[in-house]
Amino acid sequence: MGLRLHVVAGVLQRDGQVLIARRPEGKHGAGYWEFPGGKVEPGECLSTALRRELFEELGIQIGATQPLSVVHHDYAERSVKLNFQRVLDWHGTPRPLESQEIRWVALDALDAIEFLPANRDVVQSLKRVEC
């Protein structure tokens, strides 16, 4: 296995819905849906990385977060350690700033969404917690 990535993703929820983003053309997994976030830079803590990524991708300032789960997933060309963080509060209205599509989706509609494989386990755990 070649590339090893450490990634952090934010789970934003409101009114029984969760915010998801579609990977843009030209990126690994283009067309699949995921929870917004990105790479953790060397020496960067998770909260700093998530704060930076969600500001860059969505234009929001996040407040408190809570660890949700950690997923390790091997794709053919890379290995990913993905830290999911529940975003408890934020300021601003999320908007797509990196050519991605974003959408608020009801928890009971998540099964119909084509997620990146590394995001599927968290979808199931979110549904279990909210039932």
Side-chain angles (χ1 to χ4, degrees), residues 45-65:
C45 69
L46 292 177
S47 61
T48 301
L50 186 60
R51 201 165 266 106
R52 175 183 51 75
E53 286 289 344
L54 295 186
F55 182 74
E56 291 172 1
E57 287 186 20
L58 303 173
I60 61 172
Q61 298 281 342
I62 65 169
T65 63

Side-chain angles (χ1 to χ4, degrees), residues 4-129:
R4 293 173 112 28
L5 297 175
H6 188 187
V7 175
V8 63
V11 177
L12 286 78
Q13 291 180 264
R14 68 167 194 206
D15 304 323
Q17 296 182 319
V18 66
L19 183 71
I20 59 174
R22 182 178 272 177
R23 303 277 299 169
E25 290 303 316
K27 291 207 173 190
H28 169 75
Y32 285 97
W33 291 88
E34 65 180 352
F35 295 94
K39 293 179 202 150
V40 178
E41 300 296 336
E44 191 175 40
C45 69
L46 292 177
S47 61
T48 301
L50 186 60
R51 201 165 266 106
R52 175 183 51 75
E53 286 289 344
L54 295 186
F55 182 74
E56 291 172 1
E57 287 186 20
L58 303 173
I60 61 172
Q61 298 281 342
I62 65 169
T65 63
Q66 179 181 64
L68 189 58
S69 70
V70 178
V71 174
H72 295 268
H73 188 83
D74 293 327
Y75 292 96
E77 69 288 346
R78 65 187 68 193
S79 175
V80 178
K81 177 182 179 183
L82 190 49
N83 286 270
F84 290 94
Q85 300 281 315
R86 188 181 302 271
V87 179
L88 302 176
D89 62 277
W90 65 89
H91 302 285
T93 301
R95 57 195 192 283
L97 299 177
E98 293 187 339
S99 302
Q100 80 278 35
E101 179 184 348
I102 63 172
R103 181 183 301 171
W104 289 98
V105 178
L107 289 171
D108 62 0
L110 290 174
D111 285 334
I113 305 292
E114 199 168 1
F115 279 96
L116 280 171
N119 284 245
R120 291 183 188 141
D121 286 344
V122 113
V123 166
Q124 294 310 312
S125 67
L126 280 173
K127 290 175 61 182
R128 277 193 302 274
V129 169

